[in-house]
């Protein structure tokens, strides 16, 4: 079965501190992993996807198949990073695949 | 950009009535849309996959007769909560991935889902 686990409900850090939001997944095949973000009073939006190997707003995430993890990292957190972050998994080839979401982690960056 | 709208943004209804929620892709076409449900402080749970021109595919445990889905066109999917009860109160969110080759999708990422703002349903 497909499953995404985000162990932390809340992560509170000070501005400028490093951030790591944990995500572990369970999937028998080759998954596609995503991080979605929801800022206050805004809709859910894609932050980054593992196949792009990109850095968005200073965030990066590396897929570790051995540890079945896709942790989201940023070296220096900013106050505007405060939001709800969801790790999501999609199975199979790219296309109109269903997303399985983790329970989300609220990141709070204090000044 | 890819914009998905939902209407209404919030609705309050009496128990036993039916409520229709619309999901529209405003500047692109999508043959598939997804409907999610989100309880307070919980994650999004996929309810069903809406398919243009064919029946929706429901996730296990979701009553298809209670949550009627109609994908009327390449830009519109509707979710009707029939005979609503207080336990149906929730936040309903739709999403649409860009269907490659259809209008408006040329500059969009086809492995990205674009989410609507959600509809808050309260059943009294």
């Amino acid at each position: 079965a497909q499953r995404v686990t985000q162990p932390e409900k809340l992560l509170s850090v000070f501005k400028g501190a490093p951030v790591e939001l944990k995500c572990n997944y369970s999937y028998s095949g080759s998954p596609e992993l995503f991080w979605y973000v929801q800022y206050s009073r805004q809709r859910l939006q894609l932050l980054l996807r593992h196949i792009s190997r990109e850095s968005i707003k200073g965030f990066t995430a590396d897929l570790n198949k051995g540890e079945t993890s896709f942790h989201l990292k940023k070296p220096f957190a900013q106050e505007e990073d405060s939001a709800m972050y969801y790790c999501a998994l999609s199975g199979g080839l790219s296309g109109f695949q269903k997303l399985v979401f983790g329970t989300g982690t609220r990141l709070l960056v204090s000044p | 950009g890819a914009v998905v709208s939902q209407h209404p943004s919030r609705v309050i209804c009496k128990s036993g009535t039916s409520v229709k929620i619309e999901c529209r892709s405003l500047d692109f076409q999508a043959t598939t849309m997804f409907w999610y449900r989100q309880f307070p402080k919980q994650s999004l749970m996929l309810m069903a996959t809406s398919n243009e021109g064919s029946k929706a595919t429901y996730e296990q445990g979701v009553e298809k007769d209670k949550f009627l889905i109609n994908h009327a066109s390449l830009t519109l999917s509707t979710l009707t909560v029939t005979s609503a009860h207080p336990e149906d109160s929730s936040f309903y969110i739709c999403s649409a991935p860009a269907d490659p080759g259809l209008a408006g999708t040329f500059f969009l990422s086809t492995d990205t889902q674009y989410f609507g703002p959600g509809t808050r349903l309260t059943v009294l």
Side-chain angles (χ1 to χ4, degrees):
Chain A
Q2 300 178 17
R3 185 180 303 163
V4 177
T5 304
Q6 293 180 251
E8 303 140 329
K9 287 189 175 180
L10 172 66
L11 185 61
S12 185
V13 302
F14 288 106
K15 176 183 174 182
V19 168
E20 181 179 53
L21 285 77
K22 291 183 169 33
C23 172
N24 288 89
Y25 67 90
S26 174
Y27 184 68
S28 58
S30 295
E32 293 184 41
L33 275 298
F34 305 84
W35 275 99
Y36 278 82
V37 61
Q38 187 170 29
Y39 299 102
S40 179
R41 300 183 184 280
Q42 294 188 28
R43 68 189 67 195
L44 203 62
Q45 58 185 285
L46 178 69
L47 179 62
L48 53 80
R49 56 178 85 82
H50 89 270
I51 57 173
S52 300
R53 292 185 168 274
E54 56 200 345
S55 174
I56 302 295
K57 299 184 179 181
F59 285 98
T60 59
D62 292 319
L63 179 61
N64 186 322
K65 292 187 177 180
E67 295 182 357
T68 59
S69 67
F70 188 56
H71 302 326
L72 183 68
K73 300 177 184 179
K74 184 170 183 175
F76 307 103
Q78 303 298 316
E79 290 181 65
E80 54 265 30
D81 295 329
S82 296
M84 194 74 182
Y85 291 81
Y86 293 96
C87 183
L89 174 153
S90 172
L93 299 175
S94 63
F96 317 126
Q97 298 295 326
K98 299 182 289 188
L99 286 174
V100 175
F101 284 89
T103 50
T105 298
R106 182 169 297 282
L107 175 63
L108 181 61
V109 183
S110 303
Chain B
V3 179
V4 174
S5 71
Q6 283 184 240
H7 178 78
S9 58
R10 57 179 60 199
V11 57
I12 301 172
C13 69
K14 292 183 178 180
S15 185
T17 61
S18 294
V19 174
K20 180 186 286 187
I21 303 170
E22 293 185 349
C23 176
R24 292 181 184 273
S25 54
L26 298 185
D27 48 5
F28 69 102
Q29 294 179 327
T31 54
T32 301
M33 292 184 178
F34 298 97
W35 285 97
Y36 296 86
R37 183 173 180 176
Q38 185 177 32
F39 290 104
K41 298 186 179 181
Q42 294 189 29
S43 188
L44 286 78
M45 297 297 297
L46 180 66
M47 298 175 64
T49 304
S50 175
N51 304 298
E52 190 270 338
S54 63
K55 292 183 179 180
T57 306
Y58 291 83
E59 295 301 301
Q60 190 174 11
V62 178
E63 300 176 58
K64 61 181 181 180
D65 293 331
K66 178 155 187 71
F67 298 100
L68 299 179
I69 291 173
N70 183 16
H71 201 133
S73 72
L74 289 172
T75 60
L76 173 64
S77 173
T78 59
L79 169 68
T80 301
V81 183
T82 63
S83 187
H85 290 284
E87 57 265 31
D88 298 325
S89 298
S90 190
F91 196 55
Y92 293 87
I93 303 171
C94 72
S95 73
D99 192 337
L102 295 185
T105 63
F106 185 77
F107 294 105
L108 302 180
S109 299
T110 55
D111 62 350
T112 298
Q113 289 194 27
Y114 299 93
F115 284 82
T119 297
R120 172 78 57 195
L121 170 63
T122 303
V123 184
L124 302 177

